[in-house]
Amino acid sequence: MSKKAGARLLITTLLVTLAYGFSQAQDDYRSSQQITTQLQSLSRQYASVAKLQSIGKTDGGKDIWVLTLGSGDIDNHPAIVVAGGVDGRYIVSTELALKFAERLMASSQTDSVKNLLATTTFYVLPNVNPEASDQFFASLKYARTGNGRATDDDRDGQNGEDGYEDLNGDGLVTMIRVEDATGEWKKSEADDRIMVKAADGETGGYLYFAEGTDNDKDGAFNEDGAGGINFNSSLTWDFPYFQPGAGDFPVADKENRAVLDFLFERWNVFALVTFGSSDNLNAPIKYNAGEASKRVLKGMLKTDADANALVSKSYADIVGKKEGAQSVVQGGGFMEWGYFHYARYSFGTPAWSWPEFKMPEDSAAKAKYTPNKDKNKEVDYLRWAEANNHDLFVEWKAVNHPDFPGKKVEVGSWKPFAPYNPPFSLVADISAKQNKFIAKLATMKPQVKIENLTTDAVGKGMTRITADIFNAGTLATMTELAQKTRWVRMTKVEMVLSGSQQIISGDKVKLISSIEGGDKVTMSWLVKGSGSVKLSAGSAQTGIDTKTITLK
């Protein structure tokens, strides 16, 4: 078997192993305490390749965990950050990050995974905002994005005076619809349980908002509840000033600072994978010359957009192409920070989207559905959920509402978290595909190698040394943006001498800003002396290759 064929076989084995090499009896999403217990178990069971550390605590006293996976000189192996929980509504994100670590550790004794861990480091942050995601497990369940800090979202000088109420007593915060001639909402013609905004020229007839009352009597409903800072809208790129959940200034809270401080000390990170609301994997960010040329950068630089497209294609090949997908970029987001202000390859995905509902072939079964002429996605998702016995919707129920005496008021709609997360029975398959993608991304990492090394005696005790500094990876050794910011460390080529040895020509130390995937930089030296010298090349994010050279 050739060297290339062997490498392909190893990669194929790795992808299959990470996709399907682990199973665990589990029937629902896990709370932050359950995640903590599992992380501690993994770090004990696989102590040689797994290190667990708390990088900070939330206002509620919960740990922000990082599980570092790898072997050998982990600080100088190219690293991938796998992050979940950046948006508290996407509890599937914490599950996917944790399942990646579980599957990797369960297969850590196989040759393919051993090789992966010996050459690549993984920093797994399964839940960077546990205060938000734990609302899924609370007695009053609602889709929460903020942490535990008290905030004044309506800026009236009071904190949390107008939050949600459970008016129908089911423990869920859903929605309210109120019959009102001035309302801008109406029932969908395809399914009257789904509410849609009335188009221009149409009559609405309903008010529609989150379940609760106007506690502070300011005419707005639930505008200042438990609040908190949203990790995924409070980072530094394109910060959304004066928006609820963003905070008064970027990186104002413990969770943000803990994560960014940790990452700014990790020079070996070459890529981030974030599970959450931002998305440049189902649809890559397209190059926009105008946005990319602004003094305050608003768009990806050209070669980085090309790299995004390349990785997005690999994602589609593994996970499946999402028709009609568009990239989602948001101000203050973590995925966005990873590229624009951390200057690494940064990728985001929700990992799941609403499945397509297929109308039954049988005419009798088909007849019970009103045609969905507007192709309303909520209608399709509700039909799919019911056809597959997934209980995701609260049927509308009339209630007495103190703010609307004499009017028909109903409580119902989607259960909290249902629009953002798949039914748990689907998670195993989703996880297998996402793990396979991360493993594929690891094989695309920049890898600096010293190749085609030759030595020639040129007389008078001198040796001509020639070598190719070769990037054996797919991705460039640094992003185009990193070359401009000068924050990411360049590829360092160093000839190390001893005794009376001298370099007659050539650079003792040379810094190379970037080497494209599959490209090389040829260098040569004229060295005077005897014995041996050492040549090293690389950086923390590309790996460092070293050769010992015997002088002629």
Side-chain angles (χ1 to χ4, degrees), residues 49-97:
V49 290
K51 176 186 175 185
L52 181 65
Q53 67 183 113
S54 172
I55 58 174
K57 285 186 179 290
T58 68
D59 283 338
K62 295 176 181 178
D63 286 289
I64 304 165
W65 294 112
V66 178
L67 186 66
T68 301
L69 308 176
S71 62
D73 187 8
I74 59 174
D75 293 334
N76 286 306
H77 292 161
I80 297 175
V81 174
V82 180
V86 299
D87 185 324
R89 298 170 298 179
Y90 290 78
I91 53 170
V92 66
S93 67
T94 66
E95 198 65 47
L96 295 176

Side-chain angles (χ1 to χ4, degrees), residues 400-419:
N400 293 319
H401 198 293
D403 296 311
F404 301 102
K407 290 192 174 184
K408 183 179 179 181
V409 181
E410 296 173 288
V411 173
S413 192
W414 297 104
K415 289 186 175 182
F417 297 93

Side-chain angles (χ1 to χ4, degrees), residues 372-451:
N372 187 9
K373 296 178 181 178
D374 296 331
K375 297 182 179 179
N376 185 290
K377 292 183 178 180
E378 287 191 69
V379 170
D380 265 354
Y381 184 38
L382 181 54
R383 290 175 175 178
W384 173 88
E386 292 178 336
N388 289 277
N389 298 313
H390 295 302
D391 182 16
L392 306 181
F393 197 88
V394 176
E395 297 296 335
W396 293 98
K397 177 183 177 182
V399 298
N400 293 319
H401 198 293
D403 296 311
F404 301 102
K407 290 192 174 184
K408 183 179 179 181
V409 181
E410 296 173 288
V411 173
S413 192
W414 297 104
K415 289 186 175 182
F417 297 93
Y420 310 99
N421 303 280
F424 189 77
S425 60
L426 305 182
V427 171
D429 183 59
I430 295 168
S431 172
K433 292 176 180 177
Q434 301 301 321
N435 290 347
K436 194 174 179 182
F437 163 71
I438 297 172
K440 175 64 176 177
L441 179 61
T443 69
M444 301 171 76
K445 64 180 177 283
Q447 302 175 73
V448 168
K449 300 291 184 183
I450 300 171
E451 300 286 359

Side-chain angles (χ1 to χ4, degrees), residues 111-126:
D111 289 342
S112 57
V113 176
K114 276 185 180 179
N115 181 68
L116 176 67
L117 293 171
T119 57
T120 313
T121 301
F122 297 93
Y123 299 116
V124 181
L125 294 87

Side-chain angles (χ1 to χ4, degrees), residues 175-405:
M175 299 294 289
I176 285 177
R177 64 184 185 186
V178 183
E179 283 191 358
D180 189 297
T182 67
E184 298 180 339
W185 292 80
K186 66 174 188 175
K187 296 177 180 179
S188 167
E189 293 179 5
D191 191 318
D192 63 9
R193 294 172 296 177
I194 299 298
M195 302 300 292
V196 296
K197 229 9 177 351
D200 291 341
E202 286 186 326
T203 301
Y206 282 89
L207 304 174
Y208 186 60
F209 49 85
E211 184 177 357
T213 62
D214 180 12
N215 300 93
D216 55 359
K217 305 305 177 185
D218 64 354
F221 289 80
N222 315 314
E223 82 285 358
D224 195 8
I229 303 300
N230 180 354
F231 184 99
N232 208 40
S233 64
S234 55
L235 294 171
T236 53
W237 182 77
D238 199 20
F239 179 72
Y241 288 98
F242 308 118
Q243 294 299 312
D248 294 331
F249 53 88
V251 197
D253 264 39
K254 295 177 180 179
E255 294 88 345
N256 301 110
R257 281 176 280 172
V259 172
L260 267 57
D261 284 347
F262 175 82
L263 293 179
F264 273 129
E265 294 175 355
R266 299 302 180 279
W267 296 101
N268 59 335
V269 173
F270 81 90
L272 299 85
V273 176
T274 303
F275 296 118
S277 48
S278 296
D279 191 355
N280 67 339
L281 283 175
N282 287 294
I285 298 172
K286 295 180 179 179
Y287 174 67
N288 181 309
E291 296 290 291
S293 62
K294 289 183 177 179
R295 184 172 180 272
V296 178
L297 197 64
K298 294 291 185 180
M300 272 191 173
L301 301 182
K302 180 64 170 65
T303 59
D304 297 336
D306 291 343
N308 188 175
L310 180 66
V311 174
S312 175
K313 183 181 183 305
S314 291
Y315 185 81
D317 290 343
I318 293 169
V319 176
K321 187 172 178 60
K322 182 180 174 183
E323 296 298 333
Q326 294 183 339
S327 56
V328 178
V329 178
Q330 55 196 51
F334 182 66
M335 181 273 280
E336 296 79 0
W337 170 86
Y339 173 70
F340 288 102
H341 285 179
Y342 194 46
R344 268 50 169 210
Y345 299 106
S346 189
F347 307 105
T349 177
W352 173 81
S353 59
W354 291 352
E356 179 184 356
F357 173 73
K358 294 183 179 179
M359 193 68 74
E361 298 288 339
D362 179 76
S363 57
K366 189 176 181 179
K368 74 176 184 177
Y369 294 107
T370 302
N372 187 9
K373 296 178 181 178
D374 296 331
K375 297 182 179 179
N376 185 290
K377 292 183 178 180
E378 287 191 69
V379 170
D380 265 354
Y381 184 38
L382 181 54
R383 290 175 175 178
W384 173 88
E386 292 178 336
N388 289 277
N389 298 313
H390 295 302
D391 182 16
L392 306 181
F393 197 88
V394 176
E395 297 296 335
W396 293 98
K397 177 183 177 182
V399 298
N400 293 319
H401 198 293
D403 296 311
F404 301 102

